[in-house]
Each structure stands twice: as structure tokens, then as C-alpha cells.
């Protein structure tokens, strides 16, 4: 058998199955808005049983789309407990894919390993050059000419998981800091949507720390 010969892990999926997707978000809601609109419009073939956030900001958005919302505030003292609650909910709801729509928390290794190659993240492409707070301001002050966004699977190595999708856009001296943020957030929405769609359509093959995309 080919799978045995090449030590491959495989599974069989059918096109009439609707994957179950959980969305995690924080206080930057542009990616959440975009995903939920596309889902309601029929562009994403999946069910979204719930949204989890460490901030209350997304509650109104979730309510508008009729999706259950769970607010799990995170502190140093309760982080592990809140993570356990999230894991229990994910397993109870038989979640197939977890999407981090600008979720500003770092998961423990236990959480990541429990959902290996099932967590998709999105972030700007300023890393590692402009890490930390206010990366857009750092990039603006540096006078960058290109900004971008990257979507990848989450691994224990922060922001170093297999890349699924990327895109860039040129900027110039004419662009203000607000322009950079707007263009960057537009890219994040598009790139995350593409990554999620590829995952839902089973068009991603993981190979080591890389992906092969069947588009």
C-alpha cells in the first residue's frame, strides 16, 4: 500500500460532509466579520457551532449571525483553566477545524498537540523584523514598500507552522499609518479566507513543516 510504503497518514472525506469549525477571536474583529459574512453567503461549506473570545467585543457580531458566543477572559492565573474549558467544548461539539481570527493568545503545547494540523492562524508578515507592539507603526517608521499577511497551521513553535497562504501589497511614501493598517487588514481577511477554504475543501497536504496546495 502506498501509504505504508511512504509512511503517510491519510483519511477519507466526502464532499457532502460539512466540517464543523470553531472560531477564536479577540478585539480585532475584521477577520471575524469577513468569515461570518462569507459563511452566511454560502462561500464556506461548513457549520460554525460557536465563537470563543477572551474579550466581550465579538458578542454582538456573533448574535447578529445567530452563533453561540463564549466569553473566556484570560489572565495569568486562569489561563490553563480557560484553555481546558475551551478544549472540552471543542471535543463536545466534535470540531474539525479551529480558526484563529486574530486571537491574541498563545496556546499551550498540550492544546496545540491535541489539535495537530487543525488550527489555522493569520497574522501580518512583519515578523520577525517588526515583532512586539505596534508592528504597523514600526514598519511605517522604517518606510517599508511591501506589506503582507500569512496564514499557517499552529505549532508549538510560535508563528513557525506550515504556511498555507500568503499575499502582499505594495505601499509607498504616500500611505499614512492608517493606510498601512487598512491595507494590512484587507490582506489578512483575504488570506485567512483562502486558507480556511483550502482546509475545508481538503486541498492541503502537510509534508514536514511545509504544505502542498492542490488549487
Amino acid at each position: 500500500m502506498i501509504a505504508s510504503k511512504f509512511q503517510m497518514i491519510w483519511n477519507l472525506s466526502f464532499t457532502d460532509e460539512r466540517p464543523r469549525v470553531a472560531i477564536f477571536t479577540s478585539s480585532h474583529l475584521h477577520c471575524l466579520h469577513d468569515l461570518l459574512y462569507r459563511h452566511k453567503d454560502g462561500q464556506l461549506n461548513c457549520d460554525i457551532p460557536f465563537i470563543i473570545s477572551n474579550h466581550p467585543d465579538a458578542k454582538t457580531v456573533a448574535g447578529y449571525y445567530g452563533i453561540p458566543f463564549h466569553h473566556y477572559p484570560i489572565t495569568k492565573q486562569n489561563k490553563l483553566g480557560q484553555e481546558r474549558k475551551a478544549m472540552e467544548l471543542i471535543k463536545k461539539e466534535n470540531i474539525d477545524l479551529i480558526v484563529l481570527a486574530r486571537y491574541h493568545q498563545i496556546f499551550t503545547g498540550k492544546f496545540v498537540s491535541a489539535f495537530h494540523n487543525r488550527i489555522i492562524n493569520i497574522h501580518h508578515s512583519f515578523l520577525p523584523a517588526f515583532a512586539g507592539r505596534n508592528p504597523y507603526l514600526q514598519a511605517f517608521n522604517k518606510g517599508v514598500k511591501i506589506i503582507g499577511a500569512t496564514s499557517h497551521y499552529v505549532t508549538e513553535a510560535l508563528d513557525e507552522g506550515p504556511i498555507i497562504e500568503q499575499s502582499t501589497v505594495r505601499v509607498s511614501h504616500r500611505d499614512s499609518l492608517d493606510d498601512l493598517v487598512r491595507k494590512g487588514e484587507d490582506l489578512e481577511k483575504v488570506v485567512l479566507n483562502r486558507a480556511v477554504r483550502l482546509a475545508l475543501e481538503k486541498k492541503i497536504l502537510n509534508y514536514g513543516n511545509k504544505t502542498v496546495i492542490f488549487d
Side-chain angles (χ1 to χ4, degrees):
M1 188 176 181
I2 293 177
S4 299
K5 180 179 179 180
F6 293 101
Q7 298 181 328
M8 300 170 67
I9 300 173
W10 64 278
N11 58 64
L12 180 64
S13 300
F14 298 92
T15 56
D16 60 346
E17 295 177 346
R18 285 177 63 86
R20 294 171 65 79
V21 177
I23 300 179
F24 283 61
T25 191
S26 289
S27 55
H28 290 89
L29 304 180
H30 53 286
C31 287
L32 177 67
H33 277 284
D34 186 71
L35 287 172
L36 296 185
Y37 170 77
R38 292 177 188 274
H39 178 259
K40 185 175 183 180
D41 196 47
Q43 298 179 37
L44 298 176
N45 183 36
C46 66
D47 294 325
I48 305 177
F50 61 84
I51 295 167
I52 286 178
S53 180
N54 58 321
H55 291 278
D57 307 51
K59 183 176 182 179
T60 301
V61 182
Y64 176 79
Y65 286 95
I67 298 175
F69 176 78
H70 299 273
H71 179 211
Y72 294 165
I74 304 292
T75 65
K76 289 183 179 180
Q77 292 73 29
N78 74 0
K79 182 177 177 65
L80 293 179
Q82 298 290 57
E83 190 173 277
R84 281 195 297 270
K85 286 172 60 177
M87 290 179 68
E88 291 170 0
L89 183 60
I90 289 168
K91 293 176 180 179
K92 177 183 176 183
E93 292 289 346
N94 297 314
I95 296 300
D96 300 296
L97 182 69
I98 300 167
V99 178
L100 309 185
R102 293 301 304 273
Y103 184 61
H104 306 314
Q105 291 291 322
I106 299 174
F107 291 116
T108 63
K110 181 178 180 180
F111 187 99
V112 173
S113 62
F115 307 108
H116 179 64
N117 284 341
R118 291 166 56 193
I119 310 173
I120 292 179
N121 190 27
I122 182 71
H123 60 72
H124 55 74
S125 290
F126 295 138
L127 299 173
F130 305 120
R133 296 178 61 85
N134 297 320
Y136 282 99
L137 178 59
Q138 296 178 54
F140 177 76
N141 291 335
K142 187 68 175 180
V144 301
K145 303 307 179 189
I146 294 177
I147 62 174
T150 296
S151 187
H152 62 89
Y153 283 114
V154 173
T155 61
E156 291 188 43
L158 184 62
D159 293 328
E160 294 184 13
I163 293 172
I164 303 170
E165 182 62 69
Q166 292 178 299
S167 189
T168 61
V169 64
R170 293 196 63 83
V171 296
S172 74
H173 63 277
R174 298 182 181 86
D175 290 304
S176 66
L177 175 58
D178 287 341
D179 291 330
L180 261 66
V181 173
R182 173 179 53 80
K183 290 183 177 181
E185 291 185 348
D186 285 346
L187 278 180
E188 289 172 5
K189 291 186 289 187
V190 171
V191 170
L192 181 59
N193 168 65
R194 289 175 182 167
V196 171
R197 187 189 297 261
L198 288 168
L200 295 177
E201 295 176 354
K202 310 296 184 181
K203 292 183 177 180
I204 307 172
L205 174 64
N206 288 279
Y207 180 70
N209 201 49
K210 295 182 179 180
T211 61
V212 177
I213 304 298
F214 297 94
D215 56 357

